[in-house]
Amino acid sequence: MGSVGSGKTTLAKELSKTFSIPLYEMDNVVWKRDKSGDRRRTEEEREAYFTRILQTDTWIVEGVHNEEWVAPSFEMAEVIIFLDTNYSVRTYRIIKRFILQKLRIEPSNYKPTLTIFFKMFKWNRYFEDVGKPHFYKKYGIYNHKIVVVTKKKEIKKYFNEQAR
């Protein structure tokens, strides 16, 4: 869980590979990806698809979503990693990602347009002002399994401690 540019996808991919656990990007639960263009799933389609994911033995889900439809994942999760990366770091990463995607160095699930680029700054600010406080208010009940991470080295420390 975290804002755009917080490192969610990078971390989730690393964890998926390290622990051989399937990874599901929440954006791909919301959007049905197609070469002819993305289509937003209906609420029913989205929730049915997400329920199927959660019914599997193991999963990693990553995303910024913390609306009611994702609540079962927080309840069922063994651990919730909340990436609370510095706002300016996230801003830098948004710019870097956009450039790398435009140069076709970094793949993207969406077409990297200027419209999306500018929306990411808006989403980043919204997460800071609304999304993060909402997460803690709504899902603070799972505080015993929430690991707040501000820097990558904290993830390694957490998993090293769990391995003991």
Side-chain angles (χ1 to χ4, degrees):
M1 172 70 184
S3 181
V4 59
S6 64
K8 298 179 306 293
T9 306
T10 300
L11 174 61
K13 286 178 180 177
E14 288 176 19
L15 293 175
S16 176
K17 184 177 177 184
T18 300
F19 297 108
S20 299
I21 298 173
L23 165 63
Y24 301 93
E25 295 178 40
M26 296 302 290
D27 284 348
N28 294 335
V29 173
V30 173
W31 296 94
K32 184 169 177 117
R33 307 295 186 180
D34 192 272
K35 290 181 183 177
S36 62
D38 296 346
R39 178 185 64 81
R40 183 182 286 273
R41 295 179 201 273
T42 65
E43 286 183 27
E44 295 79 19
E45 290 172 320
R46 179 192 69 205
E47 290 176 24
Y49 181 40
F50 194 50
T51 298
R52 285 194 305 275
I53 291 168
L54 297 181
Q55 289 173 343
T56 61
D57 291 337
T58 59
W59 42 262
I60 294 172
V61 295
E62 69 80 17
V64 67
H65 303 279
N66 64 18
E67 298 89 2
E68 189 60 37
W69 67 273
V70 297
S73 66
F74 293 121
E75 181 180 340
M76 296 170 68
E78 184 177 322
V79 64
I80 301 165
I81 300 173
F82 187 92
L83 297 180
D84 196 8
T85 313
N86 182 283
Y87 181 81
S88 60
V89 169
R90 296 190 319 250
T91 300
Y92 166 77
R93 288 178 179 169
I94 291 168
I95 296 166
K96 180 181 173 188
R97 176 192 300 161
F98 178 74
I99 292 168
L100 293 176
Q101 288 174 342
K102 289 304 276 184
L103 295 173
R104 298 177 194 251
I105 295 170
E106 182 176 310
S108 174
N109 288 330
Y110 53 87
K111 186 176 180 181
T113 64
L114 281 174
T115 301
I116 294 285
F117 177 62
F118 290 120
K119 280 184 179 180
M120 285 188 183
F121 293 107
K122 193 167 127 183
W123 296 332
N124 190 24
R125 184 78 257 159
Y126 181 84
F127 181 82
E128 195 68 23
D129 297 340
V130 178
K132 186 175 8 177
H134 176 264
F135 172 81
Y136 284 116
K137 183 178 179 186
K138 179 123 176 112
Y139 301 108
I141 59 172
Y142 303 120
N143 199 41
H144 62 284
K145 59 182 172 180
I146 296 173
V147 177
V148 179
V149 174
T150 58
K151 294 181 175 63
K152 189 173 182 173
K153 65 182 177 183
E154 293 170 355
I155 288 287
K156 292 179 196 261
K157 180 181 175 192
Y158 171 79
F159 282 104
N160 286 338
E161 289 173 0
Q162 297 304 307
R164 290 183 196 159

